[in-house]
Amino acid sequence: IHITGAKKLILAARRIPELERVKKACLNLSQKIEIDILQLDLAEPEKCLEISESIECDILINNGGLSQRD
């Protein structure tokens, strides 16, 4: 993973502990990056849309999905 050149990274997911884990891993790769975390749930699309419209970004990586386990 190369995050050099990035100035700000916004991580969004439902679980705060997982967001904190990923944030820590990213900071271990580069201390020259600002990282914000947002707790969002795709089950609340109106809230996600409201928040996403207030954020200006150059690149969006969307990896939302469902997990079906036995």
Side-chain angles (χ1 to χ4, degrees):
I1 298 174
H2 296 283
I3 57 174
T4 58
K7 295 180 180 177
K8 184 172 185 176
L9 178 63
I10 300 172
L11 304 170
R14 287 180 293 134
R15 299 177 309 212
I16 293 292
E18 186 64 13
L19 289 168
E20 292 290 351
R21 184 192 68 78
V22 174
K23 178 179 178 176
K24 182 178 177 182
C26 291
L27 288 173
N28 285 335
L29 296 172
S30 174
Q31 293 293 319
K32 298 178 181 179
I33 187 168
E34 178 186 345
I35 301 176
D36 291 336
I37 58 174
L38 294 173
Q39 186 176 25
L40 291 177
D41 189 341
L42 294 178
E44 300 173 344
E46 292 83 18
K47 181 179 177 184
C48 293
L49 182 60
E50 178 183 323
I51 290 173
S52 68
E53 288 177 336
S54 68
I55 298 171
E56 183 178 327
C57 71
D58 294 321
I59 299 171
L60 171 66
I61 301 171
N62 184 6
N63 191 30
L66 299 174
S67 174
Q68 295 187 2
R69 299 179 183 172
D70 294 332

